[in-house]
């Protein structure tokens, strides 16, 4: 009865069973689940607690109770109970998937990656759960696992609409746009009466995403707005407001796009207040890492008998996000002697290994012993090996823009590494970040409004240039506007700097990107296009909103020769 949705009848039957067998915890749990499904959340909570008093908190009881807490918006309690359920049932597919999904929803990406690392051992998978897990793993940038799942289930008979929407989303995310569009055409006619409001919201969102990818902004705008009518809670609307703002921008309705982007950030901040609140004792400083600098006297004592030579060191790409790093990455990754792994936090994890050994970062690194540096490097390369295998003679391309804030770590661990610093007009970078839907709570809060973004941008480069003057790394600055305007000459100069013999494949980054199964960055849809200048000067459409920030970033405009 419960499974058929006849909740009132199910509740009556389970209530009767609790009267007949009051010491049977399973009856109380089933009663609670029926009450939850019928909307009687308070009574359901009491029934779950009663079941626990009788039979203890089993994995199943914890799982169902966590779903109740989620419906009530109590994310911290739900997260705790799902975590306990996953620990009690480490091989249960549905419990572990739901736990990882909740961690992702709460923007705990590291926790979600940890929770899914043994997904292949989970028992009793079915195509629908596998498809949902694949979509989740794409969100987590575990592209190898996600594509593996997609390939295993894409030809399965669709067991449900939810399965099909997960497949379509994965196909779009891997730039298989033609197949995604064809599959969507078979289901987009379904009405809310046939599938219910929640699934209609998801269907509208997927239809809008496909319309936007197929360069139909008017249709995408209409569909996103329809989805917003279904998603009535302010903190739930961010998933449609951010892409709506982008669609309005693509159409040329810039003022409305700016207004919708502001609403999107407000929705996201409301959601983060629920799921990832800032601790009361937090200073809230923008980019607090920039408060800590190397000590010149300490740097003067940095020594190591035999640090890795350049050929045995990564090539680093750093930047403020949205500065053209994905295009730069694809150009270099097209060279057979370089291999990328998409954005990974491995440098930070190697740094954490140094700190665990007692290093005070970044002020006191001279005292780190050679064997400690070697151990941190071994840890770094072991993490890299989980993502890719380098062939003999191949070098690693480590592209993580925010490693711009970890220059001291790069210089101490890999002093001979070449570093490519991607630079783009500051207002274009700020605009692009403002319209982007990020997951990480700290970075999402940095992007919550234009003044905060401008402050973070200025602090990032003030820190970079301060540390660069002190540490003197091997750096080449790549200006996006010059890169796309004089593409071959710039690409050849980059190859020379990195120490690569020229290879013509570097001139076809779009072809190279289309050959990759997955690109994890927000630029995945742009990088498969031929190199062009479409993104240059985008900020002019939002000049009214940006010009009040000019004084704050004027030193960088002057340094780089940009007009504003």
């Amino acid at each position: 009865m419960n499974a058929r949705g006849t909740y009132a009848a199910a509740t009556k039957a389970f209530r009767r069973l609790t009267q007949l067998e009051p010491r049977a915890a399973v009856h109380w749990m089933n009663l609670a689940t029926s009450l939850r499904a019928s909307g009687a959340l308070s009574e359901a909570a009491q029934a779950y607690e009663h079941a626990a008093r009788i039979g203890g908190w089993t994995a199943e009881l914890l799982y169902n109770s966590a779903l109740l807490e989620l419906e009530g918006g109590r994310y911290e309690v739900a997260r705790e109970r799902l975590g306990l359920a996953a620990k009690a049932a480490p091989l249960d597919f549905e419990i572990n998937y739901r736990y990882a999904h909740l961690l992702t929803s709460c923007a705990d990406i590291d926790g979600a990656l940890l929770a899914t690392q043994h997904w292949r051992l989970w028992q009793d998978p079915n195509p629908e759960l596998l498809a949902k897990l694949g979509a989740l793993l794409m969100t987590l940038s575990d592209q190898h696992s996600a594509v593996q799942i997609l390939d295993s289930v894409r030809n399965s008979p669709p067991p449900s609409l939810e399965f099909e929407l997960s497949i379509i989303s994965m196909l779009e995310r891997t730039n298989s746009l033609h197949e995604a569009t064809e599959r969507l055409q078979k289901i987009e006619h379904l009405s809310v009466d046939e599938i219910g409001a929640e699934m209609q919201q998801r269907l509208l969102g997927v239809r809008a995403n496909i319309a936007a990818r197929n360069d139909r902004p008017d249709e995408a705008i209409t569909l996103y707005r329809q989805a917003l009518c279904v998603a009535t809670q302010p903190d739930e609307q961010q998933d449609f407001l951010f892409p709506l703002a982008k669609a309005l921008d693509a159409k040329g309705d810039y003022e409305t796009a700016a207004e919708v982007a502001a609403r999107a950030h407000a929705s996201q901040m409301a959601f983060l207040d629920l799921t990832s609140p800032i601790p009361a004792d937090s200073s809230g400083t923008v980019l607090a890492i920039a408060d800590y600098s190397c000590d010149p006297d300490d740097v003067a004592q940095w020594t190591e008998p035999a640090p890795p030579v350049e050929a045995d060191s990564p090539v680093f790409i750093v930047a403020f996000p949205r500065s053209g790093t994905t295009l730069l990455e694809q150009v270099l990754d097209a060279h057979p002697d370089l291999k990328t792994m998409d954005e990974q936090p491995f440098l930070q994890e190697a740094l954490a290994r140094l700190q665990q050994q007692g290093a005070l970062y970044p002020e006191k690194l001279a005292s780190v012993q050679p064997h400690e540096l070697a151990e941190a490097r071994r840890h770094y390369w072991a993490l890299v090996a989980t993502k890719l295998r380098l062939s003999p003679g191949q070098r690693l391309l480590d592209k993580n823009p925010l490693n711009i804030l970890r220059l001291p770590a790069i210089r101490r661990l890999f002093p001979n590494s070449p570093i490519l610093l991607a630079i783009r007009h500051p207002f274009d970078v700020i605009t692009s970040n403002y319209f982007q839907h990020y997951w990480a709570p700290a970075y999402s809060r940095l992007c919550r409004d234009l003044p905060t973004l401008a402050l973070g941008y200025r602090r990032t480069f003030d820190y970079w240039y301060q540390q660069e003057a002190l540490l003197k790394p091997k750096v080449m600055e790549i200006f996006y506007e010059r890169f796309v305007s004089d593409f071959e000459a710039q690409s050849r100069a980059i190859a020379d700097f990195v120490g690569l013999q020229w290879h013509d494949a570097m001139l076809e980054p779009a072809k190279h990107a289309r050959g990759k199964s997955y690109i994890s960055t927000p630029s995945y849809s742009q990088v498969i296009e031929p190199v062009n200048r479409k993104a240059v000067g985008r900020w002019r459409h939002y000049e009214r909103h940006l010009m009040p920030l000019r004084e704050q970033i004027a030193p960088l405009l002057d340094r780089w020769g940009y007009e504003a």
Side-chain angles (χ1 to χ4, degrees):
M1 286 183 287
N2 225 9
R4 295 198 302 270
T6 54
Y7 304 125
T11 298
K12 182 178 180 180
F14 288 130
R15 196 183 301 278
R16 178 60 177 157
L17 285 170
T18 62
Q19 294 167 352
L20 294 172
E21 299 182 45
R23 298 300 299 170
V26 66
H27 297 331
W28 287 97
M29 183 179 70
N30 289 334
L31 171 61
T33 301
S34 295
L35 290 165
R36 172 170 61 85
S38 63
L41 302 187
S42 178
E43 190 177 356
Q46 294 175 12
Y48 281 133
E49 294 287 344
H50 192 81
R53 286 195 294 272
I54 294 171
W57 284 104
T58 64
E60 187 178 8
L61 184 56
L62 284 163
Y63 171 72
N64 283 286
S65 176
L67 299 184
L68 172 69
E69 298 299 330
L70 277 177
E71 290 189 36
R74 294 178 291 275
Y75 288 88
E76 286 301 315
V77 178
R79 180 171 171 169
E80 179 184 3
R81 291 190 178 177
L82 267 179
L84 291 171
K87 186 176 181 179
L91 301 182
D92 186 290
F93 200 111
E94 184 167 358
I95 288 175
N96 283 275
Y97 162 75
R98 288 299 295 260
Y99 179 49
H101 185 273
L102 178 57
L103 291 172
T104 305
S105 298
C106 294
D108 184 357
I109 304 303
D110 290 340
L113 285 169
L114 186 63
T116 56
Q117 64 177 336
H118 299 306
W119 68 267
R120 290 176 179 81
L121 301 178
W122 297 350
Q123 295 176 352
D124 300 323
N126 58 56
E128 183 166 321
L129 276 173
L130 276 169
K132 290 161 70 173
L133 175 63
L136 178 68
L137 291 172
M138 283 197 173
T139 299
L140 298 173
S141 296
D142 185 354
Q143 62 267 34
H144 177 76
S145 297
V147 171
Q148 183 182 36
I149 289 174
L150 174 61
D151 289 342
S152 72
V153 300
R154 68 197 301 172
N155 294 321
S156 301
S160 69
L161 175 61
E162 188 167 16
F163 168 88
E164 193 65 10
L165 292 176
S166 295
I167 295 296
I168 293 169
S169 295
M170 284 193 284
L171 290 169
E172 183 273 327
R173 191 62 184 81
T174 54
N175 288 313
S176 301
L177 194 56
H178 180 71
E179 184 180 350
T181 304
E182 283 189 335
R183 295 183 77 131
L184 178 62
Q185 288 171 347
K186 298 176 182 179
I187 60 173
E188 60 183 351
H189 64 280
L190 297 174
S191 70
V192 67
D193 295 330
E194 295 175 275
I195 62 177
E198 182 178 350
M199 290 308 299
Q200 181 71 1
Q201 178 179 316
R202 282 200 60 193
L203 176 58
L204 286 166
V206 171
R207 288 178 61 196
N209 291 343
I210 298 298
R213 287 296 308 275
N214 283 320
D215 296 321
R216 301 196 301 268
D218 287 330
E219 180 183 345
I221 289 166
T222 298
L223 291 166
Y224 284 131
R225 283 178 167 155
Q226 290 176 7
L228 284 167
C229 291
V230 182
T232 55
Q233 295 300 314
D235 60 287
E236 296 176 349
Q237 295 184 341
Q238 58 177 312
D239 289 337
F240 306 109
L241 286 168
F242 277 105
L244 173 59
K246 287 187 175 181
L248 289 162
D249 175 84
K251 183 185 177 183
D253 188 351
Y254 302 116
E255 281 305 308
T256 308
E259 293 170 8
V260 171
R263 288 173 55 200
H265 286 286
S267 172
Q268 186 177 39
M269 292 305 103
F271 183 73
L272 288 177
D273 286 343
L274 285 173
T275 61
S276 306
I278 298 176
D281 59 351
S282 173
S283 65
T285 303
V286 176
L287 294 178
I289 190 174
D291 291 337
Y292 302 93
S293 172
C294 291
D295 181 340
D297 293 336
D298 184 76
V299 172
Q301 301 176 57
W302 288 10
T303 59
E304 187 177 5
V309 298
E310 181 174 332
D312 295 328
S313 302
V315 176
F316 288 97
I317 298 177
V318 302
F320 199 91
R322 310 298 293 165
S323 296
T325 56
T326 302
L327 173 60
L328 179 57
E329 175 191 30
Q330 293 307 310
V331 168
L332 287 166
D333 188 47
H335 196 289
D337 291 343
L338 281 179
K339 195 168 186 178
T340 188
M341 58 183 176
D342 286 317
E343 295 177 15
Q344 300 294 339
F346 296 160
L347 178 66
Q348 175 59 35
E349 294 186 33
L351 170 58
R353 181 61 62 95
L354 279 184
Q355 291 173 306
Q356 291 166 6
Q357 295 170 340
L360 182 61
Y361 179 87
E363 303 94 326
K364 301 294 180 184
L365 294 178
S367 61
V368 178
Q369 298 300 305
H371 73 274
E372 294 172 324
L373 292 168
E375 168 56 27
R377 292 185 194 112
R378 278 194 294 272
H379 184 57
Y380 174 86
W381 288 114
L383 293 169
V384 170
T386 66
K387 294 297 179 182
L388 55 81
R389 177 178 296 177
L390 294 173
S391 301
Q394 271 189 327
R395 296 161 64 191
L396 174 68
L397 181 64
D398 188 335
K399 189 266 285 188
N400 187 327
L402 286 177
N403 280 340
I404 191 173
L405 296 167
R406 302 184 182 96
L407 180 58
I410 295 176
R411 286 288 287 129
R412 195 65 176 110
L413 287 169
F414 299 105
N416 294 308
S417 276
I419 303 173
L420 298 168
L421 174 65
I423 297 171
R424 184 182 174 194
H425 193 296
F427 279 162
D428 271 334
V429 175
I430 290 169
T431 300
S432 186
N433 275 278
Y434 187 62
F435 277 87
Q436 191 60 47
H437 192 184
Y438 291 108
W439 284 85
Y443 200 75
S444 297
R445 289 189 170 98
L446 178 70
C447 296
R448 66 183 181 266
D449 56 55
L450 293 172
T452 306
L453 249 173
L455 174 59
Y457 189 87
R458 170 68 186 275
R459 281 177 57 80
T460 295
F461 280 100
D462 284 351
Y463 180 78
W464 168 267
Y465 283 118
Q466 177 195 42
Q467 300 304 298
E468 184 192 33
L470 179 61
L471 299 174
K472 297 179 174 53
K474 179 183 178 182
V475 177
M476 180 179 184
E477 295 185 343
I478 312 297
F479 290 87
Y480 178 79
E481 296 80 5
R482 301 175 200 167
F483 190 31
V484 297
S485 297
D486 193 10
F487 181 61
E488 180 171 352
Q490 290 286 311
S491 298
R492 287 182 179 276
I494 293 167
D496 287 342
F497 173 78
V498 174
L500 296 171
Q501 290 189 347
W502 177 250
H503 198 285
D504 285 342
M506 296 175 69
L507 296 179
E508 296 185 289
K511 179 180 178 180
H512 178 71
R514 286 193 296 270
K516 295 174 72 72
S517 60
Y518 183 76
I519 297 170
S520 68
T521 69
S523 304
Y524 71 94
S525 61
Q526 288 84 28
V527 77
I528 61 172
E529 299 178 3
V531 176
N532 60 72
R533 289 179 51 84
K534 289 193 296 185
V536 175
R538 179 189 180 195
W539 71 270
R540 295 285 183 185
H541 302 306
Y542 303 97
E543 190 167 355
R544 180 175 71 84
H545 304 276
L546 293 164
M547 288 311 292
L549 310 175
R550 190 192 187 288
E551 183 177 352
Q552 192 167 50
I553 62 169
L556 294 172
L557 293 169
D558 295 341
R559 181 185 189 111
W560 297 327
Y562 285 117
E563 295 181 359

